[in-house]
Structure formats: C-alpha cells, structure tokens
Amino acid sequence: MTAAVDFRLTDDQRALRDGTRELLAGRFGRDRLRAAVEAPALDRALWRELGEAGFFALRLPAAAGGVGLGLPEAVLVFEEAGRALLPGPLVACQVLASVVDGVATGERIAGLCAAAAGPVLWEHPADCDELILVEGAGKEGEGDRAFRAAASEVAAAPLASVDPLTPLARLTDFPRTAPLALDTSRLRREAALLTAAQQLGSAARTVEMAVDHARRREQFGVPIGSFQAVKHLCAQMLVRTEIARSAVYAASVTGDALEVAGAKLLADEAAVRNARDCLQVQGGMGFTWEADVHLHLKRAWLRAERWGAARELAELLAEGLVTGAEAESEAGVVE
Amino acid sequence: MDLAYTAEEEDFRARLRRWLGEVLPRLPAKPAAADWPGRRAYDAAWQRMLYDAGYAGLHWPRDAGGQGATPTQHLIFLEETERAGAPYVGANFVGLLHAGPTVAAEGTAAQRARWLPPILRGDEIWCQGFSEPDAGSDLASLRTRAVRDGDTYVVSGSKLWTSHAEVADWCELLVRTDPAAPRHRGISWLAMPMDAPGVTVRPLRTLAGSAEFAEMFLDEVRVPVGNRVGAEHDGWRVTMVTLSFERGTAFVGEVVACRRVLGELARTARANGRWDDAVLRRRLGGLAAEFTALWRLTQWNVSEAQRSGGVPGTGGSVFKLRYSHARQELYDAAAEVLGAGALDAGHTWVADRLAALSYTIAAGTSQIQQNIVAERILGLPKGR
Ligand SMILES: Cc1cc2nc3c(=O)[nH]c(=O)nc-3n(C[C@H](O)[C@H](O)[C@H](O)COP(=O)(O)OP(=O)(O)OC[C@H]3O[C@@H](n4cnc5c(N)ncnc54)[C@H](O)[C@@H]3O)c2cc1C
C-alpha cells in the first residue's frame, strides 16, 4: 500500500513550477509585459537568462549540457510561460534545442513553421537566427520533410499580427536544401503539447483575473462576485481549466498522440473561452487596450491555430474512435 | 506525475480479471427494467458474489468489514468491472456509497456490527430519505419532525424522490429534532426500518417511464433512539460525510462506459452513412477528448484523495459539473447518429438519453455545484 499511481506533482515538480513562476515574475513582470506590447522585439538578455535557467535545455541529457528532465516538467514550465504571457518562439526553441546549435543556451533563436493549407506563418521573424520548415501531409507527420535555413535567406511578407506580442510574417520563399533528419511526428506532437500547456497557463491566469475583479468591484452596494450570473461564469472557467489540466498533464506522461490532440483541443477551448468570460466579468475595463485580458485572448487565438486547430484535432480524434486506436493506446497506458 | 501502476496494483487487476472471467458467465439473466423485486434480487446476488470473493467494501476500512484497499485499487475495480460488463452497484448504491460509509465513520461499534455486514453481503438494501417537497437544493430547510418519546423518536412528515424506496429495508433519514435551533443544528440522522408501521411508499413515474424513485409518507413512525447515528441535532455534519462520498467515485464506471458507447456511436455512424457529416464527426471527436479527460480528472482526484486520507475534496464538484453535461451531450450525439431512430424509445441509447436528463439535477443540481465551486474553491462571496 506504499507506492501507487500518483498523478499529483512531485515535490521536485512543484519546486520547478514555483521557481519558474518566481523567475518570470522577477524578470517579466507587468511593466515588462506592457513595454513588450509597445516594442515587441525580443529581449536577448532575458532570452539568455531563460537559457541559463534551463528553459530550452530542460529535456536534453545532462551529458549534452541539459537538465535531463522530461515532457511533464517541460509542460509545467510552459504553463508558467503561458500564465506570464512570455513572448517569443518558446515552443520552437524547446523542441529544437538539440537540433540547432546555440538554441539550448539561449544564444541563438530558432523559429519553426509548419506548411499549412492557408498562409505559412512565421512568429517573431525579426528575432530568429534560423528557421526550420516542416512540410508534408501533416497528419501525424506522415510524409513530412523538414528543411533548415538561415533567417536571412528566407523571404517573407509582413503581416499585421492580431497579437501585439507575437509579430508575424507570411513565408513567401524558403530555400529547400537537403532535408533534415528529424522525427517530425514527434516534433509536431511535442509542439502541440507545449502549446497546450501555455494555453492552460493562460486559462488559469484569466480565472484568477476574473475572480480577483469580481471580489473587488462593487455594484448595487455589493461585490459583483456575489451575483450568481458572475459566480457561475467564474465556476465554469475553473471547470474548463481543471479538465484541460488533467488532459495536458496526462498527455505529458503518456505522450500518446490522441491524448495530445485531446489535450490541445481542451486547452485551446479553455484559454479562448476563459479569456472571453474574463473580459465579460471585467466589463468596460476589459474592453480597453490597457487591461491585459485582450493579450490573453489574442495569444489564445493565435496558439489555437498552431499545431492543430480544433477542426483538425476533432477529425483526428474522430478517426481514432473508428480505428479503435484510442481504446488500444488507452489500454497500453492503463494496463 | 506518475500514471504507471505498481506491480502490486497490476497483480490486483490480473486477479480481478481472472475472477470476473470465471463468475460473470454464471450470472442469471438480467431482470426487466420494471421488475423491481427481480432487480433487487439480481443486485443483491451480485453483491453476495463480491462478498464471497473478498471484493465487497473494497475501499471501506478493515475495521468496518472492508478490504482497506487504496483508492487506486478501488479505481481499478470500478474500471475492470465495467469493462467486463459486470452489473452496476444498482440497488446497493445507498448502502455502499452513502449510508454504509456514514455508519462506518460515525456509528458506534454496535451500530457498525448491526448494519455494515448485511450491506456488504447484499442482504439488506438501503434508501436515502433526504429530499422533501419543500426541501430540495435547500436541504437544510427539511421539516420532517422527530419527537422524542422515551427511547423512541416519533417521526412524521414526507420525503420525496426516494430512489429504491420500494425495495429497501432501511432508510437513512434526515429529521428535524430541534425546530427552535438554527437550521443546520436541529437535524438528526436516523436509520429507519422501511417495514415500520406508518411508512407509506408511493412510487413515482419518471419521464423515462420507469419508477426509479418514490414519495414516502411518514405517519408517527416509531424509530428507536438507538438507531440515531451521531449525536442528536448533529445530523447535518454526519450527512455531509456521506455526500462527499457520493461525489467522489460514484461515476467512475460510467465514464469508462461512456467511452465504450462513443466507440459504438462512431461505428454505427460509419455503417449508416452519418459519418460523412463533418459536424457530427467532429462532435464525436470532441467527446472523445472530453471523456478521456474526465477519466484523467478522476485519476487526479483519486490521487488527491489517496494523500488526504480517502476523503474526496471539492474536485468532485468540478467533475460532476463537467461529467453530467458531457453525458447529456453524448446521448444527444447518439440521437444525431440514429436520426429518426432516436424516436424509438425501445432503443437503449434513447432510454439512456432520457435517464441522462436527471444527471444535472440529482445529487446537487448544476447550479448548486457552480455555487459550491465559486464559493468554496474560488472564494467568491456568498449571496443569493
Ligand atoms: C433521478 C433522481 C433521483 C433522486 N434520488 C434521491 C434520493 O434517493 N434521495 C433523496 O433524498 N433525493 C433524491 N433526489 C432528489 C435530488 O437530490 C433533488 O432533486 C435535488 O437536490 C434538487 O432539488 P429539487 O428537485 O427540489 O429542485 P429545486 O431545489 O427546487 O431546484 C429547482 C431549480 O432551481 C435551481 N436552484 C435552486 N436553488 C438554487 C440556488 N441557490 N441557486 C441557483 N439555482 C438554484 C436548481 O438548480 C433547479 O434548476 C433524486 C433526484 C433525481 C432527479
């Protein structure tokens, strides 16, 4: 009766989460966030500090200068990044840490694009030293090919990004040299999961923002949080966050493709819906540029389109139902 | 974060599977839904089989006659029994999930010896007499009176929505023993024999056409004072112990079952052509994510309970809110798959669709659960 399945965070995982939260609160507090909104070029010094803290080398083996941790730990760190709205190609640098030299330490910044039906979007084009392009059938990485180019060799057209913290460009030309030997299906899965982790962090943060406001703002002589209509909005925000948390954490442990897809679907929904509800709770103030909630909403929209959008994820999961792959992959976990 | 089972847990699972494989083929045929005496006998026989094999009261403490299993082993039990198609807890629900745990936690040694073994053996069936015509969500406003007369309480009043009242031997009854005290402090918890003179049960028909629950009229029913569990007037606290059990693991088997139904929906849709509809397909895909996540949330809650000494926390409200809604969505999707076939009340999915409508009402409505989440977890101010 001693050991048993224990889904909860270990003490080390808790410490990692708390340490990351502290680091980000110290180095990327609200002032820095708002400054970044006005001037979105990445802070290279901060990026190197993130590198030193192990943000990108987290999963590299200790022998390769990494921290030797796994996907669950990376997910906890990225959840914190999502909470803090930390900008930059974080997911790209985390999954490419062993692919592009200098990325693990934060010295160099790599971007990652996936060819899609619509325009191929490049995040933080002005800040990337290198760009990796993944193109192919897309589904589970079958028939994928990956190419690498220096940022200066890539042609891109500017695009007014909906998210003030994520400058975007549209790829127009990319020099395709020899394809990289990359496990792209794994890369897509990990990128999706880390994106979902950021969505989870954002969702958890907007619940706090809404609840905090609901307790302090008074109307009709009472805190608006005593009105049931407001209370129930907040309760549903928490429910969405917790269901997404279970899905994201479990997917980080199993690494199962369908669980990752489900986790991304639920985390996208939680981040977007929670930001919307938070805005509603904040009233007119929530509609201002000055309030932070629009930054959460816009980033949530952006992330929801990256590494699997709802329409694609739902199809993938539906297919999993017929092939019975879900039952099997689940059995592999449970048994 | 660890989702791997220990060797001990795997061993438990393997033994359970073997046992289920041996005994399930020997089960008698399932009785008709409307045959209540038959259903009682069936559920009781299954409980007896569990008892004889050492699986009864798995997660109850040993000193209550249970097996003292970990919450994880209990989870494995619920998962495996569902997968193997074993009967549900059925008529034993209140005994095993509410009344029994309450007696185990709050009863005297004599009370435990009297009531717990028959629950574990499937010999005695319990029902829950909490709700009243004027006390639903606001349970603490209940008015059924118990007046002390020497060594007995004389109980008068009426109860409503009492599930399994027709076939029960005992009722865990909430009564008002001190009308002058503040609402929560004048309530007591009694074990009332259902065959006592003055108890009248009138079955009520649900919208699904069945008679799941009943109205219960109590006319000067004499209940020995020795049948009170916990101190006099302390019944509210005693009851809250039970309610948190109800919201803990009551739905585990069902989540596993919902995932199976979802697979059946997909295969049916493929066969009847509905699968070509992208809206329906994506809806089913979304539900797959939902039920997988609900299963993971259950594991999360169980891990929490394991460390906090087995008492499920407020996580149960989060789960119940999401699950009750998801279950209704599942059977609405089933109706989409069936098309006009969804008008056939004889189809199991249609029967389950109707039954699912109670999930957002019974055991604390969704509105009440949202109040609980907002006030007890998020700390928002109480209000009306
Ligand atoms: C299938 C089934 C089986 C049941 N079995 C049993 C049983 O065995 N034993 C037993 O004792 N009871 C049983 N119940 C009763 C169940 O617990 C109650 O139905 C439930 O608590 C709601 O009470 P009510 O029906 O009186 O609805 P009400 O409390 O009258 O609620 C009506 C509506 O008002 C809303 N409402 C009420 N108060 C609030 C509030 N404060 N804030 C916001 N909205 C509010 C509710 O959410 C609901 O939508 C059963 C019910 C069902 C459906």
Side-chain angles (χ1 to χ4, degrees), chain B residues 347-366:
Chain B
H347 197 292
T348 40
W349 291 347
V350 178
D352 287 339
R353 184 187 197 196
L354 292 171
L357 296 172
S358 75
Y359 278 63
T360 45
I361 298 169
T365 70
S366 291

Side-chain angles (χ1 to χ4, degrees), chain A residues 273-285:
Chain A
R273 287 298 333 163
N274 279 13
R276 295 278 297 272
D277 287 351
C278 178
L279 199 160
Q280 185 67 22
V281 169
Q282 293 187 342
M285 210 267 279

Side-chain angles (χ1 to χ4, degrees), chain A residues 86-155:
Chain A
L86 184 66
L90 296 158
V91 170
C93 289
Q94 163 65 218
V95 299
L96 296 172
S98 64
V99 178
V100 180
D101 283 347
V103 164
T105 56
E107 285 306 315
R108 289 166 67 74
I109 298 180
L112 180 61
C113 290
V120 180
L121 297 183
W122 180 8
E123 297 183 17
H124 296 271
D127 295 304
C128 291
D129 302 305
E130 301 240 7
L131 186 62
I132 306 278
L133 175 71
V134 177
E135 57 184 6
K139 203 193 285 168
E140 303 242 351
E142 286 161 34
D144 267 351
R145 287 196 310 169
F147 300 96
R148 171 178 176 172
S152 55
E153 299 167 343
V154 179

Side-chain angles (χ1 to χ4, degrees), chain A residues 228 232, chain B residues 94 98 127-139 159-164 206 212-213 355 357-368 371 383-384:
Chain A
Q228 238 177 28
H232 288 188
Chain B
V94 173
H98 307 198
C127 63
Q128 183 186 69
F130 289 3
S131 304
E132 297 182 3
D134 289 326
S137 299
D138 186 12
L139 183 57
K159 293 288 174 180
L160 198 54
W161 321 128
T162 320
S163 303
H164 301 125
T206 72
E212 297 292 329
F213 49 31
L357 296 172
S358 75
Y359 278 63
T360 45
I361 298 169
T365 70
S366 291
Q367 286 70 35
I368 294 299
N371 290 348
R384 302 264 132 201

